[in-house]
Amino acid sequence: VNGANSSQMNKGAEVGNDKQGKEMLPKTAVSDGQWDDAHTLAFPSISTSDFQFNQDIASDIIVETVAEFLSKFDNIRLVLVDLSPKSSILALVRAKALKNNIDASRFLIHVGDITRLHSEGGLRCNAIANAANWRLKPGGGGVNAAIFSAGGHALEVATKEEAETISPGSSIAVQVPKTSPLFQTEGVTHVIHVLGPNMNPQRPNYLEGDYVKGCEVLHDAYSSLFRNFISITR
Ligand code: AR6
């Protein structure tokens, strides 16, 4: 898609080995300086943990929607984030992004906490995405609990003002209040709540293993997220 050569790409995407010889992902090894003025969206893998969506299928959809989005818009950058260097979704996406020649300077794979990207990861991301629940409620574990906790009460209030609920495959952008620690410490101006497809029988909107519908909803979720991000930057 883009013209990054393989040596550039390897810099940000090298795989090391831990003591057990298992695959380990490095922290993002890309200088952030050139991107200070650029628009950057960090996002977690939607639906692949608590919502139990198949990670291999999800990684195809992530790479496809990212490639499409980056080819349409210049001067923006995307960062896929997960907590563990052993994250299998990060490994899958990294391998497929390399195979598809996605510009590694515009699509980063980052190990860390999405609520501490600047303070701990040295990354400036003006927007972060949340894998939300349909009621847009704080708590419940996963990245949703982390983002609402880091955003503080102000983020909860601002979210409520935007919407009461969200439907699968859609997203809602919320401006982070200036009083929120997420803005003050991390420089995050927007949280974009996304609701992905649910393959967990214990959760609402369960798709009963229907991956035709599930893929459609996950694709819509990322498209909606990226469109919402663009509308923020304009
Ligand atoms: N920073 C970065 N990534 C994280 C963090 C974090 N602080 N915490 C989790 N992840 P999940 P889902 C990764 O379960 O599958 C919630 O309870 C995690 O490793 O948060 O869409 C909501 O209320 C995984 O790769 O979201 C919903 O009810 C990814 O974030 C439900 O879970 C998404 O995992 C949504 O389930």
Side-chain angles (χ1 to χ4, degrees):
V1 182
N2 292 292
N5 66 35
S6 61
S7 72
Q8 275 173 322
M9 297 193 67
N10 284 340
K11 264 186 216 161
E14 237 163 15
V15 175
N17 286 295
D18 68 1
K19 290 198 185 86
Q20 290 83 42
K22 286 189 192 129
E23 194 179 49
M24 294 279 288
L25 288 156
K27 298 251 175 195
T28 312
V30 176
S31 160
D32 210 33
Q34 61 166 319
W35 282 100
D36 276 0
D37 298 317
H39 301 293
T40 304
L41 167 71
F43 64 100
S45 168
I46 307 294
S47 289
T48 54
S49 183
D50 188 52
F51 277 179
Q52 299 177 9
F53 195 96
N54 178 282
Q55 298 199 0
D56 191 34
I57 300 174
S59 66
D60 284 332
I61 293 173
I62 292 171
V63 171
E64 186 192 326
T65 50
V66 164
E68 191 189 328
F69 180 70
L70 290 182
S71 71
K72 277 194 200 150
F73 299 98
D74 292 330
N75 199 36
I76 49 104
R77 181 174 70 158
L78 300 174
V79 185
L80 176 66
V81 186
D82 200 358
L83 287 169
S84 168
K86 294 180 186 173
S87 161
S88 43
I89 191 73
L90 292 193
L92 283 162
V93 170
R94 185 181 37 74
K96 290 175 188 180
L98 272 173
K99 210 172 148 202
N100 285 274
N101 289 324
I102 295 183
D103 183 344
S105 71
R106 298 186 63 210
F107 180 43
L108 310 186
I109 309 274
H110 183 79
V111 177
D113 184 338
I114 201 165
T115 66
R116 298 180 200 282
L117 290 171
H118 183 53
S119 58
E120 286 180 1
L123 278 176
R124 290 177 187 277
C125 299
N126 53 308
I128 62 173
N130 178 29
N133 53 67
W134 76 280
R135 284 185 198 276
L136 295 166
K137 262 183 22 189
V143 73
N144 183 71
I147 289 176
F148 272 106
S149 162
H153 185 62
L155 178 64
E156 197 182 329
V157 172
T159 298
K160 279 265 140 62
E161 280 169 8
E162 285 299 326
E164 289 291 327
T165 61
I166 182 173
S167 51
S170 68
S171 67
I172 285 164
V174 175
Q175 190 164 4
V176 178
K178 303 269 188 290
T179 54
S180 168
L182 210 45
F183 174 79
Q184 291 182 353
T185 316
E186 305 298 329
V188 174
T189 64
H190 291 80
V191 168
I192 307 176
H193 299 291
V194 189
L195 185 61
N198 171 36
M199 295 297 181
N200 178 348
Q202 313 299 320
R203 298 285 180 265
N205 299 305
Y206 173 47
L207 286 178
E208 299 178 357
D210 181 353
Y211 270 92
V212 175
K213 181 72 182 163
C215 286
E216 198 182 296
V217 175
L218 192 60
H219 194 281
D220 288 351
Y222 282 111
S223 299
S224 171
L225 166 63
F226 297 155
R227 269 200 315 274
N228 235 327
F229 173 54
I230 282 298
S231 68
I232 285 164
T233 67
R234 298 290 137 101

